[in-house]
Amino acid sequence: MHFTLHVTADCNMRCSYCYSPLKNRSEMSDETLSNTLDFASTLSPENTGIIFFGGEPLLKRKLIEYAVDECKKRKDKHGYNYHFKITTNGMLLDDCFLEFAEVNRVIVALSFDGVKNAHDACRSDLAGSGTFEKTKEAAILLLKYQPFASVLMTLNPETIEYYFESVEFLHKLGFRYIIASMNYAGSWQDKHLKVLKREYKKLAAWYERSTIAEKKFYFSPFEMKIASHIKGEEYKCFRCALGKKQVSIGPDGTIYPCVQFVKDGISNKDYSIGHVKTGFDGNKRNKFYKLSQKTDDECEKCALKVRCNNSCSCLNWQTTGKFHKVSDFLCEHERILFPIVDKTAEKLYRLKTPMFIQKHYNPEYPLLSLIDESL
Amino acid sequence: MKRKRIKYYKVPLYNAQKEFLAKKDVLGKYIPVSWSKNSVITAVLSAILIGGYGSKLDAQLNDNVKKEDLKEGKKQLDQNKAVNLFPPLFEHGEGKGAIGCIVTAPPVFISEADAREIIEEECRKAGLTFDKHDFEVKDVAVRERNERLIEVYVNEKEGKEKNKKLTEEDKKRLEWYIERMQGKMLKLDGYNSKIGFGYEFISNEEYNDVDSMRDENDKLDLVEMSTVTEFNMKKAGQKLRNVLRKNGKFPSVVFYDPLVNMLDDLGVKKDLSWADRRKITGEKSRNLLRAQVLDFIDWYKTNNLDGK
């Protein structure tokens, strides 16, 4: 099971699309952290995923170091197993932390929206200035320590015209794992859909070229859609199980079903499903889970129902206020993306492109790919 | 912008994982070039090929896979690597049609000369040229030599079987039979002797020879005599590709005549004259052949045969 620890609601940036309100600046204490680790370790002793999240988690660097240290002690004493990940905006990323991450196997993911025009349009510092240059420096430093680090990019209506350019830029910079997410809560209009379609077509050509050239990369929108067909029944495992496989822990120890529900850690307690000191509120947890498994009437008879991203309750709630009701934009997005991705995959399959075949059909691909990269 | 239910979405034309992995040794056939140069990957892939996928692999690696097994896996991989140099048949056009007395919609054939022009023009753009033409592949016969019939005809011609005097016409006829029974070796339409790679286009003139070849997948068909000649170019293309692949000495790509029929519903207006219809259909057919070549060029670049 994975536990996303919102170690602080504070942030050293002011991104226009941030879903966490600015009014409260709560932080996690050492005691809450310790309670959280006890709670997480007993629930999932064999494989506990700890994700440091915020706000900006590196504002609480000491707490992170303390957490990793505490986990080591618990491992030695009880044999618990942990793995760590942190999502950061990179402003405070330095050699010192990356050396710590290397020793303790903390995987670092960087939020970076791509080219300057895209990144600076939404991601500014406290003074309102763009953070592109600083983030780029952080990216180069990160890749020096962790060549397989993921980059998380958010796509907005205002910057969607830079989608392809940004992916290509991040890939050229050295990122091989590109996780691209739409800002579904953005003010998307019909005019943006045309641009989105154009950008996806450019990305399809890039995906095809890069695969044929045997470049190693993971571009989430394409990989997930291809997997939704190739994996068949198994793909259901990737679908949302709200509050079951992954939960978020607010700064005060309140448990939430997923990241978006935490907000500032204070104002959204209606959606809490327990507390690390007292454990899960089983009734609420199950109630939310059941709601998340419902399907919207419009989706029920849709031919893309099983492959679509309609099951992400967190996104649905953020955009429509209901766990199972998808937003108009999400539906439009999926209908644009599927035919483009499938056409690309069909061609690569028809040509029996070796990298496509191995990446999508070989269950040992991650291992083989790692060997290839390491030697 | 609104939510909209999709009533029908075609099943994508790429296999699901289960279906794909059900084919024997399929993963070993498509190995990225960079992997094939890495001995550790080759060894791990060998282990996968021997033992299947998933947890079995870990178990095998932990149990110290027997050296002979790894050797066997490596051998299998090397064989597959060689086989991998044979591009698949790039399918554009059904390649089916018929000519003869009752056929109302005959196909428009692409001549050998036209096909060579299209193929070589596209290949040239990708930097692939062919310095040899009608390059004989000495050990691939498109028509087997028939010793028994040669003997019969030679004996007849020489009067050994029946003591009768043959006319010049009879002799000519027998010469023709003997010639036919000598067999015929495959001649690749184009061959690049520098990289050792060729191409062959199956035209209607060559169809019968290729169709009568037998590969391992063939079942013995009854010969049907008819005033209608049927073509299945795609099947013949696959057959020739399999024969070449099994032979292994002359990596080549096989193209086939897509055979667009003149009455196919391809947007051809019904009131067009036969000549115009022929012209339009011929163009569609040539475009389909061009699509086969373009797919091949993608494959060619993928496998870095151009050395880039």
Side-chain angles (χ1 to χ4, degrees):
Chain A
M1 194 164 177
H2 287 75
F3 299 84
T4 305
L5 276 54
H6 294 242
V7 290
T8 176
D10 199 3
C11 190
N12 51 0
M13 279 177 62
R14 294 291 179 267
C15 303
S16 58
Y17 49 73
C18 183
Y19 47 78
S20 183
L22 290 168
K23 54 188 175 186
N24 295 304
R25 287 284 166 253
S26 50
E27 293 185 343
M28 191 175 273
S29 66
D30 287 5
E31 191 195 345
T32 307
L33 179 89
S34 194
N35 290 335
T36 301
L37 294 180
D38 287 340
F39 171 71
S41 311
T42 45
L43 259 181
S44 172
E46 283 175 7
N47 185 13
T48 312
I50 302 286
I51 302 158
F52 300 108
F53 204 73
E56 168 51 39
L58 282 183
L59 287 171
K60 295 287 286 177
R61 186 187 290 209
K62 288 277 171 230
L63 188 80
I64 292 168
E65 287 168 4
Y66 172 67
V68 173
D69 200 41
E70 280 294 300
C71 287
K72 266 189 208 162
K73 285 180 193 161
R74 284 167 167 78
K75 186 181 179 181
D76 292 343
K77 196 170 175 188
H78 305 290
Y80 298 153
N81 249 327
Y82 300 91
H83 56 271
F84 307 102
K85 196 175 166 185
I86 182 169
T87 301
T88 175
N89 59 29
M91 294 298 103
L92 297 172
L93 203 60
D94 55 19
D95 285 293
C96 180
F97 183 78
L98 286 166
E99 276 159 19
F100 163 81
E102 196 172 11
V103 172
N104 295 289
R105 304 176 99 177
V106 180
I107 297 168
V108 181
L110 181 72
S111 299
F112 193 179
D113 285 356
V115 293
K116 189 173 170 60
N117 283 338
H119 186 89
D120 281 351
C122 303
R123 298 183 67 84
S124 48
D125 60 18
L126 297 179
S129 306
T131 53
F132 174 80
E133 293 302 338
K134 267 192 159 181
T135 315
K136 190 179 164 193
E137 275 172 34
I140 292 166
L141 185 68
L142 169 61
L143 288 166
K144 199 174 99 184
Y145 284 89
Q146 299 191 7
F148 307 109
S150 312
V151 65
L152 314 172
M153 58 186 300
T154 304
L155 284 310
N156 292 280
E158 311 83 53
T159 56
I160 195 64
E161 63 188 295
Y162 303 111
Y163 193 178
F164 162 67
E165 208 184 319
S166 291
V167 172
E168 199 182 35
F169 162 77
L170 292 170
H171 189 240
K172 277 186 183 161
L173 199 62
F175 285 107
R176 285 162 230 193
Y177 293 86
I178 301 171
I179 316 296
S181 310
M182 293 289 138
N183 171 18
Y184 288 102
S187 308
W188 294 92
Q189 294 167 23
D190 287 338
K191 65 178 180 185
H192 299 125
L193 298 182
K194 282 184 190 161
V195 184
L196 181 64
K197 191 171 183 178
R198 186 193 70 204
E199 291 299 302
Y200 270 135
K201 281 186 178 172
K202 284 192 223 166
L203 282 162
W206 168 82
Y207 188 96
E208 190 185 308
R209 276 197 311 273
S210 306
T211 307
I212 286 173
E214 298 192 354
K215 286 181 186 159
K216 294 274 184 56
F217 66 99
Y218 178 95
F219 177 52
S220 63
F222 277 52
E223 316 302 353
M224 290 303 283
K225 294 296 177 245
I226 293 171
S228 72
H229 172 65
I230 286 182
K231 301 284 178 196
E233 278 294 300
E234 257 182 68
Y235 181 69
K236 283 182 183 167
C237 305
F238 295 110
R239 294 175 75 82
C240 173
L242 195 69
K244 296 278 183 191
K245 291 184 200 165
Q246 179 169 329
V247 290
S248 275
I249 314 292
D252 65 349
T254 306
I255 310 168
Y256 296 90
C258 198
V259 171
Q260 312 248 11
F261 296 94
V262 180
K263 295 206 168 278
D264 53 10
I266 293 169
S267 59
N268 204 30
K269 296 255 166 126
D270 285 351
Y271 289 92
S272 105
I273 54 171
H275 193 278
V276 289
K277 273 175 96 172
T278 52
F280 282 119
D281 175 342
N283 287 338
K284 266 180 106 177
R285 188 185 184 205
N286 283 334
K287 180 184 143 192
F288 290 151
Y289 175 73
K290 276 182 189 164
L291 282 173
S292 77
Q293 298 306 300
K294 271 185 162 184
T295 308
D296 188 44
D297 289 345
E298 194 67 33
C299 300
E300 193 54 59
K301 286 180 186 165
C302 179
L304 288 171
K305 179 188 156 192
V306 184
R307 298 180 64 196
C308 166
N309 199 19
N310 57 25
S311 74
C312 181
S313 308
C314 196
L315 279 183
N316 292 342
W317 176 80
Q318 187 201 14
T319 50
T320 67
K322 289 185 178 167
F323 286 21
H324 65 285
K325 188 176 178 186
V326 302
S327 67
D328 292 345
F329 172 62
L330 189 141
C331 183
E332 292 277 8
H333 174 263
E334 298 292 281
R335 280 185 281 122
I336 287 171
L337 185 55
F338 270 111
I340 294 173
V341 171
D342 281 341
K343 196 175 164 195
T344 307
E346 281 172 355
K347 183 168 182 195
L348 290 168
Y349 180 81
R350 196 173 68 238
L351 293 174
K352 296 288 182 285
T353 309
M355 193 54 86
F356 177 82
I357 298 293
Q358 296 294 338
K359 185 179 184 179
H360 293 284
Y361 292 98
N362 190 343
E364 306 298 344
Y365 175 78
L367 170 71
L368 293 163
S369 182
L370 195 68
I371 296 170
D372 187 31
E373 296 282 352
S374 318
L375 295 171
Chain B
M1 196 180 312
K2 61 177 179 183
R3 286 181 298 151
K4 195 171 148 193
R5 173 163 51 96
I6 302 279
K7 285 184 189 160
Y8 170 77
Y9 187 81
K10 78 174 174 71
V11 178
L13 299 172
Y14 52 105
N15 271 173
Q17 194 178 37
K18 258 187 191 171
E19 273 174 82
F20 187 78
L21 293 180
K23 297 169 196 166
K24 201 184 165 209
D25 301 335
V26 70
L27 285 176
K29 287 180 186 165
Y30 308 108
I31 305 161
V33 175
S34 60
W35 289 16
S36 61
K37 290 173 190 161
N38 184 324
S39 58
V40 180
I41 292 202
T42 313
V44 175
L45 257 175
S46 307
I48 294 172
L49 280 176
I50 305 159
Y53 314 105
S55 54
K56 276 186 189 172
L57 173 66
D58 297 334
Q60 283 205 358
L61 289 175
N62 291 338
D63 289 350
N64 295 327
V65 185
K66 282 182 194 166
K67 273 187 183 166
E68 307 85 74
D69 283 354
L70 270 177
K71 238 187 234 172
E72 184 50 41
K74 175 87 168 53
K75 200 172 131 196
Q76 202 177 330
L77 263 184
D78 287 343
Q79 277 170 3
N80 286 337
K81 241 158 49 187
V83 168
N84 201 24
L85 282 174
F86 281 86
L89 189 74
F90 300 103
E91 296 178 13
H92 287 277
E94 281 308 304
K96 282 184 181 172
I99 50 171
C101 68
I102 56 161
V103 175
T104 55
V108 175
F109 293 108
I110 302 178
S111 70
E112 280 278 338
D114 275 0
R116 285 187 185 193
E117 196 182 320
I118 291 168
I119 295 164
E120 299 206 9
E121 183 192 334
E122 293 302 335
C123 287
R124 206 177 301 120
K125 286 181 200 166
L128 175 61
T129 52
F130 300 95
D131 55 322
K132 289 187 166 46
H133 291 93
D134 298 317
F135 176 77
E136 192 170 278
V137 180
K138 285 188 177 142
D139 46 1
V140 175
V142 284
R143 203 166 54 220
E144 294 293 341
R145 184 180 159 87
N146 193 325
E147 296 292 354
R148 192 179 67 82
L149 282 178
I150 288 174
E151 196 186 334
V152 170
Y153 293 135
V154 168
N155 286 344
E156 194 173 334
K157 190 184 152 199
E158 290 175 359
K160 286 180 188 168
E161 293 286 317
K162 293 172 189 172
N163 195 13
K164 71 169 184 181
K165 202 176 176 185
L166 295 172
T167 64
E168 281 307 307
E169 203 175 316
D170 286 338
K171 281 183 183 172
K172 269 187 188 170
R173 180 175 54 82
L174 287 166
E175 278 294 342
W176 186 84
Y177 283 135
I178 292 164
E179 173 65 27
R180 286 284 295 171
M181 294 306 116
Q182 293 295 341
K184 188 176 161 188
M185 292 300 144
L186 174 72
K187 282 183 180 170
L188 293 174
D189 289 327
Y191 191 72
N192 179 322
S193 53
K194 200 174 163 193
I195 60 167
F197 195 90
Y199 79 88
E200 172 62 14
F201 170 74
I202 303 176
S203 64
N204 68 323
E205 294 132 39
E206 292 165 330
Y207 175 76
N208 282 335
D209 283 339
V210 177
D211 190 47
S212 61
M213 291 169 91
R214 300 221 160 267
D215 70 13
E216 58 201 6
N217 303 319
D218 259 8
K219 287 175 189 162
L220 195 62
D221 294 326
L222 287 173
V223 178
E224 288 177 10
M225 298 300 286
S226 164
T227 54
V228 174
T229 308
E230 288 183 77
F231 297 93
N232 190 340
M233 294 283 188
K234 192 154 87 177
K235 192 176 158 204
Q238 195 63 56
K239 185 183 284 187
L240 181 56
R241 189 240 170 206
N242 288 345
V243 170
L244 280 165
R245 181 168 166 249
K246 200 176 171 195
N247 172 275
K249 293 179 189 165
F250 297 92
S252 311
V253 57
V254 175
F255 302 113
Y256 62 92
D257 192 333
L259 291 197
V260 180
N261 295 317
M262 280 204 258
L263 291 183
D264 276 357
D265 182 17
L266 290 164
V268 179
K269 287 179 188 169
K270 283 182 183 169
D271 54 354
L272 280 174
S273 70
W274 199 247
D276 285 343
R277 197 181 291 271
R278 192 180 167 76
K279 198 175 157 193
I280 293 169
T281 314
E283 193 51 39
K284 286 184 187 304
S285 208
R286 281 189 287 276
N287 284 341
L288 287 169
L289 173 60
R290 201 176 292 277
Q292 292 177 25
V293 183
L294 292 175
D295 271 2
F296 157 68
I297 288 166
D298 275 346
W299 178 92
Y300 172 76
K301 287 180 177 170
T302 305
N303 285 277
N304 292 344
L305 291 183
D306 53 351
K308 284 177 189 167

